Amino acid sequence: MEQNYLTQLTPLFAPLSTLPGVAGRREALFKKLLGNRAIDALLHFPSNLIAYKYVTTIQEASVGETIIVRAEIMSHRSAQRRGAPHKVSCYDGHTYFDVVFFHGNVPYFHKILPEKTKRIIIGRADKNLSRWSITHPEKIYPALPDQTFPTKETVYPLTTGVTNKCVHRVIDAALSRLIDFPEWHEPNVVDSLKLMSFSQAIRQAHYPQTLEDLQLTPAHERIIFDELFAHQLALHFSRLAQQVETPGHSLTGTGALIRQLLAQLPYEPTESQKNVLREIFEDMARPTPMTRLIQGDVGSGKTLVALISMLRAIESGYQAAILAPTDILARQHSETIVQLAEKIGIKADILTGREKGKRREKILQELAEGTINLLVGTHALIVEDVNFKNLGLAVIDEQHRFGVEQRLALALKGHNPDILAMTATPIPRTLQLANFGDMDVSIIKEKPAGRQPITTKVLPLNRLHDVIDGVKRALENQAKVFWVCPLVEESEKINISAAVDRYEQLKEILGDKVGLVHGKMKALEKDTVMEKFINGDVDVLIATTVIEVGVNVPAATIMIIEHAERFGLAQLHQLRGRIGRGEKAATCVLLYGHEISQVGKERLATMRQTEDGFEIAEADLRLRGGGDILGTRQSGLPGFRLADFISYPAQMGSLLALANTEAKSVLKTNPDLRGERGLAIRLLLKIFDMDNAIKYTRS
């Protein structure tokens, strides 16, 4: 059976260039649009359906309508000057009109529209003054008796240089190679979802009869479910392979260091932190490497969980490291962690781009010898000459800020160390499954005791003077204020105040209490200003979004965000999380411009209504797609060709959850993919080009 299928499948999985009209100078364009294989063309679905109206004379048409008209070809008028059109005069028995061509092959125009013959012309009717015309007709047929014509045309998404007619020819040829695939889903799933076969769904998707057939039909749902199932299988199989191939270390610890640390703290970990630690300790005790993601809303105490986890590794005789995305965040971690570590006899240090010369050499030597138990750092940790004696646990903070290769490089610093990733960006369940299906996810739900709620106000920018007056009053009560601007310099396209301009304005009013940080400053300059804001005489920090992640200033109680409507919800939530970290009540002021979209209004309303990061993340997914949440791109969900989480979030979410459950079931019952269903699943993975399980899953 397997050999028979493979023979039938060969044409489907052949290169796209084996389809008619693809090879040659336009091959690269076709590949960009459709993919590399013949079967990829079948996953390129129509986006529109144009109905044709049959008219006896062009005067019956409305301007812009696509019509079918029978006419006699009267004469050709070639262009008299460069850039002028070639016109063909036609007569439909009632009205004279022109068929117009720009830039083309004149002999070819004479060939398809010979004078003194009758033709059926299909195209878009237009009118200039009193003269009707059809520019670049879509189809031309000889006018034969009792002839039937298509009454509609299926339109595909296109790219410059590829016409709809060419795409039709390629897809029709690919459809002629389509075979009936064996079923890869369990019979009970097929029955409960009333799934048609994969091949039937492909055919239906390419032959829509109405505009409704272009929406989320049962045919589309079947194919999208298959894509999600293939994606989840690839994630789970990749993870299983890694666990089998890469034995790790069983880190059980003694509990001694952790007990000493907890005795030093003025507070108890929350129940949520304790639950997450239990899950982490269970993973660390196993002989396979841990790959766990901790989600904790802003200020939920992830750093303490990370520190306790690192102490468990150190108790077990190994080293630990924490990788932060910025110098500022690394130094904040260092201040907290190094101090606590030293109190319990642990040697901790920091390594960033700022450690140079003899200081750096000393750190590298002590790290290689195992004298340093715990290292905090930035990208400087993953350069070639940094060697650990025995790295047992690598913690990655704000993990979406690192590329996969960077995370993998840290993992390679030890012999399959446990990986603990942390993010302060709450991720909706849909995105967890889609992007972290290979990782166990722990959530720290509650905030430590004593945290104050944040009052959020939404005001128009024309109330700026009132806001500045409020800041003056707050400074008299020793407040510290974040003031966030979206751009560094004035943009010619969008008239919004720049951080530099606002800094100069506020400095005139408030004097030397005002500081400025933005992305174009050197790290040392930024750190100096931040240090003055945290511990010194700068009380108002004008900033771009460089302060979004990780900065901890307990004394800061006011956050002002200009043009808040231009920020994503996840970003606004991160920025607001910079305040309310002390014992005083905090206020966030969102200032919006006069040109605010409906989406902008909904974002600001969401911010005013809730501080719950998960509610905000779900709203962000609904309003603009999941890209911003994951820090990968502005909108949309990475990795899927067909699944549309933005237009149909509820349907995609339920299909993804079911695909995840079914993938786990396959992993339990048939991990070697044996038998007929195993073969069918292998074909599914091949169809969606996921037969090589995801390369960097362990990172």
Side-chain angles (χ1 to χ4, degrees):
M1 174 194 172
E2 186 164 345
Q3 195 54 47
N4 180 34
Y5 263 120
L6 292 176
T7 306
Q8 290 179 297
L9 285 169
T10 302
L12 259 183
F13 292 107
L16 191 73
S17 55
T18 60
L19 295 171
V22 173
R25 61 190 173 85
R26 286 188 300 178
E27 184 177 340
L29 294 174
F30 274 110
K31 282 185 173 179
K32 178 184 168 189
L33 182 67
L34 304 175
N36 294 316
R37 308 165 303 166
I39 196 161
D40 293 332
L42 298 182
L43 301 175
H44 185 76
F45 293 149
S47 57
N48 200 6
L49 195 65
I50 298 173
Y52 301 150
K53 177 183 177 183
Y54 185 82
V55 294
T56 52
T57 170
I58 197 167
Q59 287 202 21
E60 294 172 5
S62 302
V63 171
E65 197 167 27
T66 303
I67 60 167
I68 304 174
V69 63
R70 183 192 297 261
E72 185 176 357
I73 312 309
M74 308 305 291
S75 62
H76 284 251
R77 301 194 304 283
S78 291
Q80 298 302 306
R81 56 188 168 75
R82 187 171 179 159
H86 179 91
K87 292 185 178 180
V88 185
S89 177
C90 305
Y91 180 61
D92 63 20
H94 299 272
T95 311
Y96 285 92
F97 66 93
D98 292 327
V99 171
V100 181
F101 297 97
F102 287 91
H103 318 298
N105 183 334
V106 173
Y108 176 70
F109 300 150
H110 280 274
K111 182 182 173 183
I112 59 172
L113 292 168
E115 291 180 7
K116 310 303 176 200
T117 63
K118 291 192 174 174
R119 289 288 182 266
I120 302 296
I121 300 165
I122 301 177
R124 189 171 173 273
D126 209 346
K127 194 176 186 182
N128 185 13
L129 300 175
S130 60
R131 183 81 172 181
W132 285 89
S133 65
I134 295 175
T135 301
H136 287 284
E138 290 176 20
K139 291 185 175 65
I140 296 169
Y141 301 101
L144 303 173
D146 304 322
Q147 193 174 0
T148 56
F149 320 106
T151 55
K152 55 184 171 294
E153 183 182 14
T154 305
V155 179
Y156 287 91
L158 302 173
T159 190
T160 307
V162 176
T163 64
N164 198 51
K165 184 178 177 181
C166 295
V167 172
H168 265 280
R169 184 169 56 177
V170 170
I171 287 175
D172 287 346
L175 282 165
S176 71
R177 299 181 182 185
L178 186 62
I179 64 163
D180 288 327
F181 287 95
E183 183 54 70
W184 37 73
H185 294 297
E186 289 281 21
N188 64 322
V189 174
V190 173
D191 292 343
S192 66
L193 292 180
K194 299 184 173 61
L195 296 178
M196 65 181 79
S197 75
F198 177 77
S199 301
Q200 184 189 356
I202 289 282
R203 289 189 183 95
Q204 273 197 28
H206 284 288
Y207 293 108
Q209 300 304 306
T210 65
L211 286 171
E212 283 70 38
D213 293 340
L214 300 170
Q215 306 304 314
L216 191 63
T217 65
H220 293 102
E221 285 198 359
R222 161 73 213 226
I223 301 160
I224 287 167
F225 182 50
D226 291 332
E227 179 185 33
L228 295 171
F229 181 40
H231 181 271
Q232 292 297 301
L233 281 166
L235 278 176
H236 288 299
F237 274 117
S238 175
R239 183 176 186 194
L240 182 68
Q242 288 290 351
Q243 287 179 341
V244 171
E245 291 163 17
T246 56
H249 316 280
S250 178
L251 307 180
T252 51
T254 62
L257 290 174
I258 294 169
R259 283 192 292 275
Q260 285 181 57
L261 173 75
L262 294 176
Q264 297 284 337
L265 298 177
Y267 51 82
E268 273 256 321
T270 63
E271 281 307 309
S272 198
Q273 285 172 315
K274 288 176 185 173
N275 290 337
V276 169
L277 281 165
R278 272 193 286 273
E279 292 170 350
I280 292 168
F281 289 170
E282 281 173 20
D283 281 2
M284 291 176 76
R286 293 191 184 104
T288 50
M290 169 174 73
T291 313
R292 185 169 284 278
L293 173 71
I294 302 179
Q295 284 188 72
D297 210 343
V298 179
S300 60
K302 295 182 299 300
T303 307
L304 179 62
V305 169
L307 177 55
I308 292 172
S309 305
M310 289 190 285
L311 291 180
R312 171 58 57 110
I314 295 165
E315 287 173 352
S316 309
Y318 289 86
Q319 291 166 297
I322 179 165
L323 181 65
T326 64
D327 200 287
I328 291 171
L329 186 51
R331 299 213 168 270
Q332 290 218 327
H333 277 322
S334 170
E335 282 169 25
T336 312
I337 290 170
V338 174
Q339 225 175 17
L340 284 168
E342 282 175 354
K343 284 182 181 175
I344 58 173
I346 295 301
K347 184 162 178 58
D349 215 325
I350 182 167
L351 181 63
T352 71
R354 268 207 261 166
E355 279 64 49
K356 292 186 169 66
K358 288 185 179 176
R359 165 100 172 96
R360 185 173 188 276
E361 280 174 29
K362 184 171 183 283
I363 293 169
L364 295 186
Q365 186 182 341
E366 291 181 343
L367 201 61
E369 291 170 351
T371 315
I372 291 177
N373 308 112
L374 193 163
L375 190 65
V376 180
T378 56
H379 300 77
L381 278 191
I382 52 179
V383 297
E384 208 170 310
D385 64 345
V386 176
N387 295 303
F388 291 80
K389 184 181 181 185
N390 55 353
L391 180 64
L393 172 64
V395 179
I396 298 162
D397 196 13
E398 291 305 329
Q399 66 89 36
H400 65 275
R401 298 281 288 261
F402 291 96
V404 171
E405 288 81 3
Q406 293 164 324
R407 301 201 294 268
L408 192 69
L410 181 60
L412 294 173
K413 291 292 179 187
H415 181 67
N416 302 323
D418 288 346
I419 299 285
L420 185 63
M422 305 195 297
T423 178
T425 308
I427 303 165
R429 174 153 171 78
T430 304
L431 292 179
Q432 279 180 36
L433 285 176
N435 294 276
F436 302 107
D438 63 307
M439 296 177 92
D440 295 306
V441 179
S442 294
I443 298 171
I444 304 176
K445 289 178 181 168
E446 59 191 304
K447 291 189 181 181
R451 286 287 167 97
Q452 297 297 315
I454 300 168
T455 304
T456 302
K457 297 178 178 179
V458 178
L459 297 172
L461 259 169
N462 59 21
R463 296 271 306 276
L464 188 65
H465 290 295
D466 295 340
V467 173
I468 293 171
D469 288 343
V471 167
K472 279 186 197 168
R473 288 193 298 274
L475 293 180
E476 288 167 10
N477 294 319
Q478 281 73 53
K480 284 195 179 278
V481 181
F482 282 111
W483 190 303
V484 178
C485 299
L487 283 188
V488 176
E489 290 161 357
E490 195 70 49
S491 164
E492 290 172 8
K493 291 183 182 174
I494 40 179
N495 181 30
I496 51 182
S497 52
V500 177
D501 290 348
R502 185 65 69 227
Y503 166 69
E504 286 170 359
Q505 180 199 1
L506 289 177
K507 199 169 180 186
E508 274 185 33
I509 300 168
L510 304 171
D512 292 336
K513 290 181 175 182
V514 184
L516 170 69
V517 291
H518 58 69
K520 291 187 179 178
M521 290 165 67
K522 289 178 181 169
L524 194 57
E525 291 178 292
K526 274 191 285 195
D527 291 351
T528 304
V529 178
M530 286 300 303
E531 179 61 34
K532 283 183 182 175
F533 183 58
I534 295 166
N535 299 315
D537 50 9
V538 168
D539 293 329
V540 179
L541 184 72
I542 312 293
T544 55
T545 53
V546 292
I547 55 105
E548 177 188 340
V549 171
V551 179
N552 187 29
V553 188
T557 54
I558 296 174
M559 168 68 69
I560 294 158
I561 304 173
E562 287 193 48
H563 282 283
E565 78 279 7
R566 298 191 186 277
F567 292 92
L569 261 177
Q571 207 174 22
L572 289 173
H573 179 59
Q574 286 284 333
L575 288 166
R576 181 169 63 182
R578 298 305 103 218
I579 59 171
R581 292 173 160 239
E583 293 172 5
K584 292 182 180 176
T587 303
C588 177
V589 180
L590 304 176
L591 295 169
Y592 62 89
H594 63 281
E595 291 179 8
I596 183 169
S597 66
Q598 186 55 40
V599 169
K601 286 177 185 172
E602 286 185 49
R603 274 194 203 127
L604 300 189
T606 303
M607 289 295 293
R608 193 169 50 203
Q609 286 157 12
T610 182
E611 276 188 67
D612 185 310
F614 287 92
E615 275 184 46
I616 287 168
E618 294 287 356
D620 207 21
L621 180 62
R622 190 180 69 250
L623 290 173
R624 67 184 254 166
D628 183 59
I629 292 165
L630 297 170
T632 49
R633 59 183 182 185
Q634 279 307 93
S635 58
L637 205 58
F640 295 114
R641 179 163 182 170
L642 307 172
D644 182 355
F645 284 82
I646 299 168
S647 305
Y648 309 103
Q651 295 95 321
M652 295 302 110
S654 59
L655 286 175
L656 181 58
L658 185 57
N660 179 264
T661 303
E662 200 180 345
K664 284 179 178 172
S665 167
V666 169
L667 213 65
K668 279 183 186 171
T669 58
N670 190 6
D672 299 324
L673 298 182
R674 298 187 187 281
E676 288 191 17
R677 188 175 181 222
L679 170 63
I681 288 172
R682 289 175 196 271
L683 290 176
L684 166 73
L685 290 167
K686 194 170 176 63
I687 288 167
F688 286 99
D689 205 15
M690 293 182 191
D691 41 340
N692 293 327
I694 295 165
K695 187 177 176 186
Y696 286 124
T697 308
R698 264 290 286 140
S699 79

